[in-house]
Amino acid sequence: MRKTPTKYIFVTGGVTSSLGKGIISASLGKLLTARGYSVTIQKLDPYINVDPGTMNPYEHGECYVTDDGAETDLDLGHYERFLNHSTSQANNVTTGRIYQTVIQKERRGDYLGKTVQIIPHITDEIKRRIQLLGETKEFDFVITEIGGTVGDIEALPYIEAVRQLKWELEKNALFIHLTLIPFLAAAGELKTKPTQHSVKTLLESGIQPDILVCRTEHPLNIDIKKKIARFCNVEIDAVIESMDASTIYEVPLLMQKEGLDKVVLRKLGLKDNGEVKLEQWCNFLERLQNPEKEITIGLVGKYVELQDAYKSIIESIIHAGTENACKVKINWIHAEEINNTNVTKKLVGLSGIIVAPGFGNRGMEGKIAAIKHVRENNIPFFGICLGMQLAVIEFARNVLGHTDASSTEMNAQTSTPVINLMDKQKEVTDKGGTMRLGTYDCLLTKDSNAYNSYKTINIKERHRHRFEFNNNYKNELEKAGMIATGINPENNLVEIVEIPSHAWFVGVQFHPEYKSTVVNPHPLFCGFIEACINNKK
Ligand code: GLN
């Protein structure tokens, strides 16, 4: 257990959103863990939803699920992929959750007749949630990323809370502000004014950033760094250039080159013993950037216009491709644009396909047409959550001849509900946080594709769904060649289906993509990519 106090690093953003605060936080976390420190990263989201679980992926990208079943912001996926360490509910806090807690306390009478206000009650609850992770004594560093942009009305209570915390934590807290240095093509110049203004906005709230990370498309020369330092009251070496990178996995090395970790240590009064263990990371990057072969796979989904909706799947494919020394190109296929007539043309040249998770009717028949095609043509198939459910429906319809087979999610009246609502879900009326969420055990059948990938019988994977494989149809499906190769040992629910006579046909009820990291690429994604490579040969 640690003896020194936990250090808190607050990361804010200015000028515009989407500057990559999550990747910078994850990269700094990576550099600190490479120096032997224990680090966790937390995201504060200023929106009113209690969690992003009820949001449409078009709004907020993928909903990332933790081991403890929290539905969270997709940045937590980056934190886990970079740090190879599980996050939890405590790592993602929203305004909705803060207010919910404060209002519940008020109803219980905990405030003893006081007027409940943003300061101190909301800000105290924010401060409590930030310090929860530090109180576990597990971490040397808690990096807290504040969502949104400084100056946003919604972010004000967070900014005020961390201002107070800095005062209380004194030398154990540090502010990093991420800004944009735009390049004006007409003037041929990088412009620092937006950064100056954004630091002024922070100063108005009583916060002086210690470090500025400046996102830029062109290198910052020493004069620009001096100018920023002078106008924003930071040291020159605390002006960190953050150039656009060819892959997010390069960013920790770019930050190391700029000395971000060194400045952080110095400002927090920690010794720099110079030891940074990044060999494994550098090996990964080296393999990622120098692939020996290339394949193209298809990703069939209904949110393909917004790739953030499939963030963890994309990153899992990158990890598994790198593990197989293979560049994997993704051909995005809109589920609503496929049908039995055009499917051959749509999927031509693909070494394998993934059918993505999802909810509701839209795009369902297109996904089923794609599954039928790859099943009949021995093309590797990986179905995730809804993708697995649709593989069962396709098999029931086209192999067993139950033409009406469906999931009760899509057709409550189906005569053949091969996928139906779990009993526990039948009484549920609230939408938020009520799915089957988080980690569950699964037992694998030996010699299955799943077992050959995981190389162990006992696995744990994360879930996010309401509907399940209907065990009443298990025997009939298995007799015809679709086998359940992964079972939840507690309740007998089917977690994995496979077709052993096929090159590689695996559908999983859980979400393997949430557990793939740079250090531990996910076994099933690796197995799938390997099958795709063999198929191409
Ligand atoms: N809609 C399906 C269910 O709720 C699948 C969910 C998913 O793909 N995550 O069971």
Side-chain angles (χ1 to χ4, degrees):
M1 201 172 280
R2 285 170 328 95
K3 282 178 222 82
T4 47
T6 302
K7 307 285 185 188
Y8 291 85
I9 300 174
F10 303 110
V11 182
T12 54
V15 185
T16 75
S17 56
S18 307
L19 290 180
K21 278 196 300 267
I23 300 297
I24 294 295
S25 303
S27 298
L28 174 59
K30 179 70 217 171
L31 292 177
L32 293 170
T33 51
R35 286 173 173 271
Y37 292 108
S38 56
V39 182
T40 192
I41 314 179
Q42 177 187 44
K43 173 92 189 269
L44 306 182
D45 275 311
Y47 51 72
I48 314 286
N49 304 61
V50 172
D51 61 44
T54 52
M55 278 189 234
N56 185 318
Y58 288 127
E59 294 284 314
H60 210 256
E62 159 188 286
C63 171
Y64 186 78
V65 179
T66 57
D67 279 329
D68 64 348
E71 296 179 282
T72 72
D73 185 75
L74 58 76
D75 272 334
L76 271 76
H78 291 309
Y79 307 160
E80 290 205 9
R81 288 188 282 273
F82 275 54
L83 302 190
N84 197 42
H85 151 80
S86 286
T87 55
S88 70
Q89 180 65 71
N91 293 74
N92 194 192
V93 174
T94 67
T95 297
R97 200 168 284 279
I98 297 283
Y99 271 79
Q100 196 182 43
T101 310
V102 170
I103 290 169
Q104 275 165 359
K105 275 191 179 173
E106 186 273 336
R107 292 289 84 183
R108 276 202 311 263
D110 291 2
Y111 295 114
L112 305 174
K114 286 268 184 222
T115 307
V116 180
Q117 294 179 295
I118 292 186
I119 306 172
H121 302 102
I122 294 295
T123 45
D124 278 355
E125 179 58 20
I126 295 173
K127 282 155 67 181
R128 186 182 74 80
R129 296 220 178 219
I130 292 173
Q131 287 174 293
L132 269 183
L133 287 165
E135 281 161 11
T136 62
K137 303 262 180 263
E138 216 183 302
F139 305 107
D140 300 308
F141 289 90
V142 175
I143 301 176
T144 298
E145 178 195 343
I146 302 177
T149 309
V150 294
D152 292 351
I153 291 177
E154 293 188 323
L156 284 175
Y158 293 94
I159 300 289
E160 168 59 15
V162 295
R163 182 196 67 77
Q164 293 178 18
L165 265 184
K166 165 77 185 171
W167 186 248
E168 290 163 27
L169 296 164
E170 297 180 346
K171 294 217 160 350
N172 295 318
L174 178 94
F175 283 102
I176 299 180
H177 188 55
L178 195 64
T179 75
L180 175 71
I181 309 288
F183 180 74
L184 276 197
E189 261 183 339
L190 286 165
K191 291 294 183 188
T192 65
K193 195 69 83 188
T195 295
Q196 297 176 38
H197 280 297
S198 151
V199 170
K200 288 232 165 71
T201 308
L202 258 186
L203 284 168
E204 277 169 21
S205 304
I207 292 174
Q208 166 64 52
D210 300 286
I211 298 173
L212 293 175
V213 175
C214 304
R215 185 74 187 266
T216 172
E217 288 170 18
H218 298 274
L220 304 181
N221 62 34
I222 188 70
D223 290 332
I224 297 238
K225 283 195 173 182
K226 273 187 189 162
K227 187 171 175 187
I228 296 170
R230 183 178 310 127
F231 278 104
C232 303
N233 329 313
V234 294
E235 287 163 287
I236 292 184
D237 72 348
V239 179
I240 305 288
E241 164 192 298
S242 170
M243 284 273 281
D244 292 356
S246 59
T247 150
I248 55 170
Y249 299 109
E250 208 185 337
V251 179
L253 301 183
L254 295 179
M255 289 302 108
Q256 189 190 25
K257 247 193 226 149
E258 282 288 296
L260 175 62
D261 50 336
K262 286 190 177 201
V263 185
V264 165
L265 293 182
R266 188 182 77 227
K267 293 206 172 274
L268 287 169
L270 295 167
K271 271 211 197 84
D272 173 4
N273 63 11
E275 263 179 62
V276 195
K277 288 205 178 102
L278 281 170
E279 296 79 20
Q280 216 178 356
W281 192 273
C282 293
N283 282 341
F284 168 83
L285 198 60
E286 167 81 20
R287 275 180 288 133
L288 172 66
Q289 290 173 329
N290 299 291
E292 292 161 11
K293 43 198 173 287
E294 183 178 308
I295 57 169
T296 304
I297 63 167
L299 203 156
V300 187
K302 64 176 183 179
Y303 306 110
V304 295
E305 308 86 340
L306 180 76
Q307 299 184 359
D308 267 1
Y310 301 112
K311 195 82 216 165
S312 293
I313 293 181
I314 300 172
E315 299 307 324
S316 302
I317 293 170
I318 293 174
H319 303 158
T322 304
E323 185 71 11
N324 281 289
C326 181
K327 181 180 169 84
V328 183
K329 285 194 168 164
I330 301 176
N331 195 342
W332 296 89
I333 301 164
H334 204 301
E336 282 179 295
E337 287 166 11
I338 317 180
N339 52 49
N340 283 326
T341 330
N342 67 10
V343 64
T344 310
K345 226 167 118 198
K346 287 264 180 204
L347 304 186
V348 69
L350 300 178
S351 299
I353 72 156
I354 291 179
V355 174
F359 294 84
N361 238 331
R362 190 164 70 85
M364 169 190 183
E365 294 303 327
K367 287 180 173 176
I368 290 178
I371 297 170
K372 177 171 187 281
H373 178 83
V374 294
R375 180 180 58 74
E376 289 176 345
N377 291 282
N378 213 26
I379 298 166
F381 163 79
F382 192 13
I384 301 177
C385 207
L386 180 64
M388 171 268 199
Q389 298 177 350
L390 296 177
V392 175
I393 294 170
E394 189 281 321
F395 199 86
R397 285 186 189 175
N398 299 322
V399 178
L400 301 181
H402 297 302
T403 48
D404 179 45
S406 195
S407 160
T408 51
E409 179 181 7
M410 327 294 176
N411 175 5
Q413 266 72 53
T414 172
S415 62
T416 318
V418 285
I419 305 294
N420 65 359
L421 202 57
M422 284 178 275
D423 280 338
K424 272 203 190 129
Q425 285 287 334
K426 288 187 179 145
E427 292 96 57
V428 171
T429 49
D430 277 4
K431 286 273 182 278
T434 54
M435 280 188 253
R436 180 181 179 210
L437 290 165
T439 293
Y440 287 87
D441 287 323
C442 173
L443 270 187
L444 302 182
T445 309
K446 276 215 161 167
D447 297 327
S448 58
N449 281 318
Y451 176 82
N452 291 338
S453 296
Y454 284 99
K455 303 194 167 51
T456 175
I457 287 195
N458 294 292
I459 60 158
K460 285 179 191 299
E461 290 287 357
R462 300 183 196 170
H463 291 248
R464 182 173 187 251
H465 56 106
R466 291 185 205 282
F467 294 82
E468 291 285 354
F469 180 101
N470 183 344
N471 271 324
N472 294 340
Y473 294 92
K474 186 162 169 251
N475 277 343
E476 198 183 342
L477 286 158
E478 290 205 324
K479 266 195 208 128
M482 176 173 267
I483 311 291
T485 60
I487 305 281
N488 178 320
E490 259 163 53
N491 52 22
N492 241 0
L493 289 174
V494 171
E495 305 281 29
I496 308 178
V497 294
E498 294 190 26
I499 300 178
S501 61
H502 186 280
W504 206 91
F505 190 103
V506 178
V508 293
Q509 182 59 81
F510 47 80
H511 288 267
E513 70 273 22
Y514 296 142
K515 281 182 67 170
S516 186
T517 71
V518 165
V519 173
N520 288 317
H522 196 283
L524 280 179
F525 278 92
C526 293
F528 169 67
I529 296 298
E530 195 187 333
C532 295
I533 295 168
N534 292 336
N535 174 41
K536 193 184 175 186
K537 279 184 203 152

